[in-house]
Amino acid sequence: GAVVSQHPSRVICKSGTSVKIECRSLDFQATTMFWYRQFPKKSLMLMATSNEGSKATYEQGVEKDKFLINHASLTLSTLTVTSAHPEDSSFYICSARGAGGVQETQYFGPGTRLLVL
Amino acid sequence: RKEVEQDPGPFNVPEGATVAFNCTYSNSASQSFFWYRQDCRKEPKLLMSVYSSGNEDGRFTAQLNRASQYISLLIRDSKLSDSATYLCVVIEGGGGNKLTFGTGTQLKVEL
């Protein structure tokens, strides 16, 4: 199947710093990428949907100024957690979907564990 | 009420057992349904789609009941390697992109 990578896989940072997470589709062009967050023993929650070359669409309750998303190319989307706080500590997972539309499978990246001290 | 609800488990079963999970969804306009598997501290991986007529893939059988708005997953002859969390996932209709995940049901297969 298609491969999606994330970098870094794990990051520990001090409160107040910003953290950038990269999501790459390695062998297909991802017209749409999704960013999810998962807290321990909870379900994945969609944070935002990004389409290449346009602004991301954020889910209700997700602060767009805090979670900056850039989808500059068909193979790369970035999520920047600005001024991170301990409550932002979570498992962040991206997924990518090709040009086939909603019926096309989403492929998930391996996730990034963020710990904010 | 949660959009997608699952019994969190854990379900502890012996190797070789048959186990079934159910999932209910609240939005009657939901169009697409999936089961994903998530191993501890890993990303979810697609296990199978769920079709209206029911579908089978080896030891796994998925069924959909639109009238009652629930989806089921049956695992026969369970293996130790089946131990994981099984996530029920729903996509709303109308061209929506959004995957809505249930909280998952944890399965532990034991010797």
Side-chain angles (χ1 to χ4, degrees):
Chain A
V3 178
V4 176
S5 70
Q6 274 185 249
H7 178 79
S9 58
R10 184 176 300 186
V11 59
I12 301 173
C13 69
K14 293 182 179 179
S15 186
T17 60
S18 293
V19 176
K20 181 186 280 189
I21 303 170
E22 292 185 350
C23 176
R24 293 182 185 272
S25 58
L26 299 183
D27 53 0
F28 69 103
Q29 293 186 327
T31 53
T32 306
M33 287 186 168
F34 305 86
W35 286 96
Y36 295 85
R37 181 168 53 181
Q38 186 177 32
F39 293 105
K41 298 190 183 298
K42 300 291 185 183
S43 61
L44 275 75
M45 297 299 296
L46 179 66
M47 299 175 67
T49 301
S50 73
N51 292 297
E52 186 264 340
S54 62
K55 290 183 179 180
T57 302
Y58 289 81
E59 294 299 302
Q60 193 173 11
V62 178
E63 298 175 58
K64 63 180 181 180
D65 294 330
K66 180 167 181 62
F67 299 100
L68 301 178
I69 291 172
N70 185 284
H71 191 164
S73 77
L74 285 171
T75 59
L76 173 65
S77 176
T78 60
L79 167 68
T80 301
V81 183
T82 61
S83 187
H85 288 98
E87 58 265 30
D88 298 325
S89 299
S90 188
F91 189 42
Y92 291 86
I93 307 175
C94 73
S95 71
R97 191 180 72 199
V102 66
Q103 295 305 318
E104 191 163 335
T105 302
Q106 287 187 26
Y107 296 96
F108 285 85
T112 296
R113 293 205 174 274
L114 171 63
L115 176 62
V116 184
L117 302 176
Chain B
R1 181 185 172 187
K2 293 179 182 175
E3 293 180 63
V4 181
E5 290 202 60
Q6 295 181 250
D7 180 343
F11 284 59
N12 298 317
V13 303
E15 202 174 13
T18 296
V19 61
F21 308 135
N22 286 330
C23 165
T24 57
Y25 59 95
S26 60
N27 187 345
S28 59
S30 299
Q31 292 294 317
S32 301
F33 309 90
F34 308 88
W35 283 102
Y36 276 72
R37 169 193 170 131
Q38 186 174 25
D39 292 288
C40 188
R41 304 176 78 82
K42 300 284 187 182
E43 78 276 21
K45 295 189 176 177
L46 179 63
L47 180 65
M48 60 195 302
S49 302
V50 185
Y51 302 119
S52 297
S53 55
N55 48 298
E56 189 174 303
D57 182 1
R59 297 182 292 109
F60 299 86
T61 301
Q63 292 197 313
L64 167 65
N65 184 319
R66 286 190 184 272
S68 301
Q69 294 181 206
Y70 82 78
I71 308 145
S72 64
L73 176 67
L74 181 78
I75 305 176
R76 291 182 299 278
D77 188 23
S78 53
K79 313 289 185 189
L80 294 175
S81 57
D82 294 333
S83 298
T85 296
Y86 290 83
L87 303 169
C88 174
V89 180
V90 172
I91 296 180
E92 295 180 2
N97 292 316
K98 184 179 173 180
L99 295 182
T100 301
F101 285 79
T103 51
T105 299
Q106 188 179 8
L107 171 66
K108 294 181 180 179
V109 182
E110 303 163 332
L111 286 171

